[in-house]
Amino acid sequence: MALRALMLATVAAVSISVPAMAQVISEVEGKLVELGEFTTTPAYQAKVFGTKVILKDAAISTPTREDIPFPTLLTCNNAKIPGFVKRPAGGSMVGGTIIATGSSNGDGTITAETAFFEPAENVLLGQVTNVPLVSPEGAISGKLEIDGTEVVVIGKKRGEQFPPAPLNPTTGASTEIWNPCFPGKGVKNASFIDIPPQYLSTNAEAAAEGWFGEDGIFYAFLIEGNGSAKEQPLAVSAFRAQCRNRGAGRGLEWEIRGGVGHPENVGGSIVIGQTVAGRGFVPYGIPSVNPLIDPLDDRYGTFQIRADLIDSTVTTCPINVVVRYQPILEVPPPPPTTENPDPKPQRFIQSRVGVDAR
């Protein structure tokens, strides 16, 4: 009787616990099999393995873009991706990788809270063996290569690919393929400051992130390497911003790393804060730091901020943070552009960066 009572108690416990387990966490990572609007029952928008994924309310992203609306994702799927011919039937993104996290619905589908898409996940780490030559007139000749692999830098915007796409001999138009869901991030030097790709240092180490295309070319959405721009504008960049809420009166623990660039020589201070409506930039109560100057080129520097913030007005880690670089002396205005025909002298420059908050 005791054994039977124990078995009945176990069954009862399982029966009671079933409703509590209705929301089972699910994560799938693998080859994207289908993408679109499907009217089957149950309805879904993507399929990976044999699992159907509902994407409508998911936070959709790629390696270079966040918060992509689902209709935009479908538009990108109907356009070509650099390095890949348009895949038949399902579209350009089908056959690539998807990482979807959410909860299981118990009917063969999961409702995704986040969904990450990429054509492929490749990294090319090695020596820059060739950099194209750019004439004073802007003509570009040669290939960009890392350890003999041809590399094309995807543009941040259409028309900024490097080296440029060749012209169609019949129409005279560019043959560049550019997909709005996969814009480039550019080329960064050791201070994580943007430099034109032609100023990458030959024979130096570089790391390219992107994918190896069906045409035998590595398409990089980001390259980190060594190099200095001929004319470096005032710049600041943060490549890591972490915040930990320690609670119990211990405040927020910050670690921010980044770099700065200056037309002449680095000097000044780095301050972090936030933008407040009606007040502009408001610093946090954290001491400023001075950039560490690059001994090979004093127009560049790096910085690291490690500090605790105990402030009754800032009690939780923010979604993003503003990093401001203020040089010692005002910097003369940059050359006029179409977007900024009357530039003013620069007293500071700032950049907003997302925070890894925990």
Side-chain angles (χ1 to χ4, degrees), residues 149-293:
T149 294
E150 183 178 354
V151 179
V152 166
V153 181
I154 299 172
K156 292 184 178 181
K157 297 185 293 185
R158 186 185 299 274
E160 295 183 350
Q161 172 182 306
F162 183 89
L167 299 179
N168 185 305
T170 303
T171 64
S174 171
T175 57
E176 176 186 16
I177 295 173
W178 194 84
N179 191 297
C181 286
F182 301 96
K185 289 186 173 181
V187 175
K188 314 285 186 181
N189 67 6
S191 295
F192 215 72
I193 297 298
D194 279 317
I195 62 171
Q198 64 265 32
Y199 292 117
L200 276 168
S201 299
T202 308
N203 301 323
E205 184 182 61
E209 296 181 51
W211 53 83
F212 188 65
E214 296 169 344
D215 52 5
I217 298 173
F218 189 99
Y219 288 86
F221 58 76
L222 173 66
I223 294 181
E224 298 176 33
N226 294 285
S228 302
K230 184 177 180 181
E231 296 178 358
Q232 174 61 51
L234 191 66
V236 62
S237 177
F239 54 86
R240 173 182 289 180
Q242 292 181 324
C243 175
R244 303 291 182 268
N245 189 343
R246 296 306 184 188
R250 297 172 60 191
L252 308 180
E253 180 183 273
W254 282 95
E255 181 178 1
I256 301 178
R257 297 181 183 182
V260 296
H262 193 285
E264 296 179 0
N265 53 70
V266 168
S269 59
I270 306 292
V271 181
I272 69 167
Q274 61 182 325
T275 302
V276 178
R279 298 174 60 192
F281 176 77
V282 178
Y284 289 141
I286 297 176
S288 63
V289 300
N290 300 322
L292 179 65
I293 299 173

Side-chain angles (χ1 to χ4, degrees), residues 1 15 52 65 73 114 120 125 163 204 223 232 300 307 334:
M1 293 296 293
S15 300
K52 299 173 181 178
R65 185 175 171 185
L73 187 73
T114 65
L125 175 63
I223 294 181
Q232 174 61 51
Y300 298 100

Side-chain angles (χ1 to χ4, degrees), residues 50-351:
T51 302
K52 299 173 181 178
V53 183
I54 299 170
L55 294 170
K56 279 298 178 64
D57 297 320
I60 300 172
S61 63
T62 69
T64 58
R65 185 175 171 185
E66 297 181 353
D67 299 324
I68 301 175
F70 181 69
T72 301
L73 187 73
L74 293 184
T75 299
C76 293
N77 187 46
N78 289 326
K80 290 185 178 180
I81 294 174
F84 294 99
V85 299
K86 186 174 181 181
R87 293 167 172 137
S92 296
M93 298 173 69
V94 174
T97 299
I98 174 177
I99 304 173
T101 61
S103 57
S104 174
N105 299 318
D107 58 358
T109 70
I110 69 169
T111 297
E113 294 181 1
T114 65
F116 176 84
F117 294 84
E118 60 183 340
E121 184 180 358
N122 301 143
V123 176
L124 178 58
L125 175 63
Q127 186 179 36
V128 178
T129 47
N130 193 71
V131 176
L133 297 176
V134 180
S135 71
E137 294 75 29
I140 299 174
S141 59
K143 299 177 180 180
L144 175 61
E145 295 180 349
I146 297 178
D147 279 336
T149 294
E150 183 178 354
V151 179
V152 166
V153 181
I154 299 172
K156 292 184 178 181
K157 297 185 293 185
R158 186 185 299 274
E160 295 183 350
Q161 172 182 306
F162 183 89
L167 299 179
N168 185 305
T170 303
T171 64
S174 171
T175 57
E176 176 186 16
I177 295 173
W178 194 84
N179 191 297
C181 286
F182 301 96
K185 289 186 173 181
V187 175
K188 314 285 186 181
N189 67 6
S191 295
F192 215 72
I193 297 298
D194 279 317
I195 62 171
Q198 64 265 32
Y199 292 117
L200 276 168
S201 299
T202 308
N203 301 323
E205 184 182 61
E209 296 181 51
W211 53 83
F212 188 65
E214 296 169 344
D215 52 5
I217 298 173
F218 189 99
Y219 288 86
F221 58 76
L222 173 66
I223 294 181
E224 298 176 33
N226 294 285
S228 302
K230 184 177 180 181
E231 296 178 358
Q232 174 61 51
L234 191 66
V236 62
S237 177
F239 54 86
R240 173 182 289 180
Q242 292 181 324
C243 175
R244 303 291 182 268
N245 189 343
R246 296 306 184 188
R250 297 172 60 191
L252 308 180
E253 180 183 273
W254 282 95
E255 181 178 1
I256 301 178
R257 297 181 183 182
V260 296
H262 193 285
E264 296 179 0
N265 53 70
V266 168
S269 59
I270 306 292
V271 181
I272 69 167
Q274 61 182 325
T275 302
V276 178
R279 298 174 60 192
F281 176 77
V282 178
Y284 289 141
I286 297 176
S288 63
V289 300
N290 300 322
L292 179 65
I293 299 173
D294 185 340
L296 300 179
D297 189 337
D298 62 6
R299 297 178 303 160
Y300 298 100
T302 56
F303 65 86
Q304 179 177 9
I305 297 174
R306 299 185 68 177
D308 294 331
L309 171 62
I310 301 177
D311 185 336
S312 60
T313 64
V314 185
T315 57
T316 60
C317 293
I319 297 175
N320 50 56
V321 67
V322 176
V323 180
R324 175 177 286 200
Y325 168 44
Q326 186 164 337
I328 295 173
L329 299 176
E330 187 176 77
V331 175
T337 62
T338 304
E339 294 79 12
N340 187 13
D342 185 26
K344 301 294 189 292
Q346 294 176 279
R347 294 181 292 107
F348 62 86
I349 192 166
Q350 59 191 37
S351 176

